[in-house]
Amino acid sequence: MGKITGFLDYPRVPEPGEAPNLRKRHWREFTPQLDDAAAAIQAARCMDCGIPFCHQGCPVNNVIPDFNDLVYRQDWQRAIEVLHSTNNFPEFTGRICPAPCEAACTLSINSDAVGIKSIEHKIIDKAWEEGWVRPQPAARRTGWSVAVVGSGPAGLAAAQQLARAGHAVTVFEKNDRIGGLLRYGIPDFKLQKEHIDRRLEQMRAEGVQFRPGVYVGSVADAKSGQSALTPGQLQQEFDAVVLAGGAETPRDLPLPGRQLDGVHFAMDFLPLQNRVLAGDTLASQILATDKQVVVIGGGDTGSDCVGTSNRQGAAAITQFELLPQPPAQENKPLTWPYWPVRLRTSSSHEEGCQRDWAVATKRFNDDGKGRVRSLTAVRLQWHEGRMSELPGSEFEIEADLVLLAMGFVSPAQAVLDAFGVDKDARGNAGAAVDGSAAYRTSIDKVFAAGDMRRGQSLVVWAIREGRQCARAVDEFLMGSSNLPR
């Protein structure tokens, strides 16, 4: 490495961020990139550790020590070449990935991990600023055509790789804009949508065609404003099909009062704000303004509900989690280099939220007019992984708006059923990741990747699966592939 003692000489310094009381007044990103000098110092902390466990911690296997060394030496153009060699969209992962690479960092054993995510953020933003991110159209066309169903990170990664291999790629998206959950699931304050738009321009220049507003499946399931294509039409028109939709079936909470007005899935709430910020005029919108908001679910989606509710002017926000409160610091000798269970406080939590752990909801209570006015909950006790209700702990909390953010159980079953693919026990498309049938479903010419194949996961896993699936499709069409796995 460029500075052998860097990890001893320099402390970890996070990216600068706007104060919570200021940033919750707007919807823009509030974490600017490091400047060149600060990024070089943070990259200098990367150890000459011999075995870079960050590689296995990163699902796309980013070559982290190499780009850290290049940033330390201020060789930014080579740094983006190294980063792009494994990751099609560092501007997404550098903003919204939880950074499992940092949990696996060797320095993390007894110190603060290298700030890999902030360095990645800096590399890609500088590359865009300098004009180094250019279209890479294929030198020759193969004559084969591929349909990609779903335009989230898995679908986009697969489409870009296949286009660069010379195939004619068309991406189908049921929503009116391309981007999948990047577009309509993640709030703008975490990922401004111009980052998606400029990637799409690059991909168009590489030959990818985008067809938003097209539902692929049974024509009867298409909604107003959508055109429809059947699986048979796609299979007849294209030489291969990649199913890359998201995990869109939310986990429900079928309790008394679930039907009350004011009890909503998180994904009925979050996309509406994204649409408003995109300039759409909505007939109605679920708003947290001046309301007592209760978010059920302690993960990233729940955190996004907290941040959005704060910006909409909620009167108060409470977030419930079924599991007990995790420790503030993990037992590193026990957990490293794997993802640890520890207390994580998101930027949205910093902006204002009451968090409560080991709580189970019992029922939603009616205000007499068909709206929710409160919910009744009970505290839990956990023993050897089993939970039970704590006697006498039942309580009631005021709630004008309840947001269910308990994760997703599977991709949309209607799409998989329309194609007739075999499923695994969790309702995902059945497909292996290795061997001669990698990413192939039980239906000829039909492949699956991302949430559609593995279930709810991270953006970085979606990119990995999209890239690997693209190689499998290329091998299927050409007999061999030069695309990276």
Side-chain angles (χ1 to χ4, degrees):
M1 303 306 298
K3 185 170 178 57
I4 300 298
T5 62
F7 69 99
L8 298 172
D9 297 340
Y10 306 121
R12 174 174 171 139
V13 176
E15 293 172 304
E18 196 174 5
N21 65 317
L22 297 177
R23 68 189 186 225
K24 67 179 182 180
R25 299 177 186 173
H26 62 77
W27 296 93
R28 301 182 304 277
E29 291 179 15
F30 50 82
T31 306
Q33 60 180 272
L34 299 170
D35 62 37
D36 289 13
I41 289 174
Q42 291 306 296
R45 298 184 69 242
C46 187
M47 304 169 70
D48 189 10
C49 61
I51 302 177
F53 286 89
C54 55
H55 282 199
Q56 67 86 26
C58 173
V60 294
N61 304 121
N62 278 339
V63 193
I64 294 163
D66 291 42
F67 68 62
N68 280 339
D69 184 52
L70 292 166
V71 168
Y72 170 72
R73 300 177 187 280
Q74 300 286 278
D75 192 344
W76 295 99
Q77 196 158 2
R78 286 182 62 198
I80 187 57
E81 291 172 1
V82 170
L83 183 52
H84 266 153
S85 71
T86 57
N87 186 352
N88 295 69
F89 313 121
E91 62 269 41
F92 303 158
T93 53
R95 286 172 166 81
I96 61 175
C97 180
C101 55
E102 294 185 13
C105 174
T106 302
L107 184 55
S108 181
I109 295 174
N110 62 352
S111 184
D112 293 328
V114 175
I116 300 167
K117 181 178 174 179
S118 64
I119 295 168
E120 181 175 342
H121 181 187
K122 171 64 180 181
I123 293 171
I124 183 58
D125 280 15
K126 188 174 182 70
W128 280 109
E129 291 164 6
E130 298 292 336
W132 297 330
V133 184
R134 303 186 183 96
Q136 300 177 36
R140 62 179 183 85
R141 311 305 297 180
T142 64
W144 298 108
S145 62
V146 183
V148 177
V149 181
S151 67
L156 293 180
Q160 185 165 63
Q161 293 295 95
L162 287 165
R164 290 175 176 179
H167 305 303
V169 181
T170 303
V171 177
F172 295 91
E173 168 59 52
K174 65 181 179 181
N175 287 310
D176 58 346
R177 295 182 178 91
I178 298 295
L181 290 175
L182 294 171
R183 175 77 64 181
Y184 286 132
I186 297 171
D188 284 43
F189 58 81
K190 290 176 65 176
L191 179 69
Q192 291 181 198
K193 306 317 173 194
E194 53 261 38
H195 302 303
I196 305 172
D197 295 334
R198 64 185 179 186
R199 258 317 161 181
L200 298 182
E201 287 305 307
Q202 180 200 33
M203 293 176 65
R204 288 188 181 96
E206 294 171 348
V208 178
Q209 295 186 31
F210 295 102
R211 292 186 59 186
V214 178
Y215 178 81
V216 176
S218 172
V219 175
D221 292 329
K223 296 180 180 179
S224 175
Q226 295 176 334
S227 59
L229 283 174
T230 66
Q233 289 174 299
L234 280 192
Q235 289 165 290
Q236 183 175 6
E237 184 177 348
F238 294 90
D239 300 301
V241 178
V242 175
L243 303 180
E248 297 181 348
T249 306
R251 183 171 283 106
D252 205 350
L253 197 58
L255 298 173
R258 171 64 181 88
Q259 79 288 349
L260 293 173
D261 188 15
V263 182
H264 303 278
F265 287 121
M267 291 307 295
D268 291 334
F269 170 68
L270 294 172
L272 298 178
Q273 185 61 53
N274 288 5
R275 289 185 177 279
V276 168
L277 294 173
D280 292 353
T281 300
L282 306 182
S284 62
Q285 183 183 358
I286 303 168
L287 289 169
T289 310
D290 297 328
K291 292 179 181 176
Q292 300 285 335
V293 179
V294 175
V295 178
I296 300 177
D300 289 341
T301 304
S303 173
D304 292 345
C305 289
V306 171
T308 300
S309 296
N310 268 317
R311 283 161 178 76
Q312 290 182 353
I317 306 169
T318 302
Q319 185 176 23
F320 287 157
E321 169 57 61
L322 197 67
L323 296 171
Q325 182 173 345
Q329 181 62 58
E330 73 272 21
N331 184 343
K332 288 189 176 183
L334 181 65
T335 61
W336 181 89
Y338 302 107
W339 185 251
V341 175
R342 61 174 172 82
L343 181 61
R344 301 177 190 276
T345 299
S346 73
S347 60
S348 293
H349 295 141
E350 294 171 350
E351 294 161 4
C353 172
Q354 178 67 41
R355 304 164 75 186
D356 205 348
W357 285 266
V359 172
T361 304
K362 299 287 288 183
R363 60 186 174 273
F364 306 105
N365 302 312
D366 196 334
D367 69 351
K369 300 177 182 179
R371 284 197 57 84
V372 66
R373 65 168 176 81
S374 67
L375 63 80
T376 300
V378 65
R379 300 201 175 276
L380 303 173
Q381 51 190 359
W382 288 81
H383 180 67
E384 296 181 350
R386 294 175 179 270
M387 70 177 187
S388 60
E389 295 183 4
L390 189 64
S393 66
E394 193 169 286
F395 65 97
E396 187 174 338
I397 181 173
E398 184 180 354
D400 305 308
L401 176 62
V402 179
L403 300 172
L404 307 181
M406 302 170 295
F408 301 86
V409 295
S410 70
Q413 296 299 292
V415 176
L416 297 180
D417 291 342
F419 276 90
V421 302
D422 290 346
K423 306 174 192 175
D424 64 18
R426 297 180 298 155
N428 304 318
V433 296
D434 296 309
S436 58
Y439 292 93
R440 293 194 201 184
T441 70
S442 57
I443 302 300
D444 185 40
K445 303 197 307 184
V446 179
F447 296 72
D451 287 5
M452 189 72 80
R453 192 204 67 82
R454 65 177 284 120
Q456 177 188 0
S457 195
L458 305 174
V459 62
V460 69
W461 272 107
I463 294 171
R464 171 198 173 113
E465 293 235 335
R467 288 171 62 88
Q468 291 189 344
C469 183
R471 179 182 172 90
V473 172
D474 193 35
E475 287 179 337
F476 169 74
L477 296 174
M478 304 294 291
S480 63
S481 177
N482 291 322
L483 289 174
R485 178 167 165 79

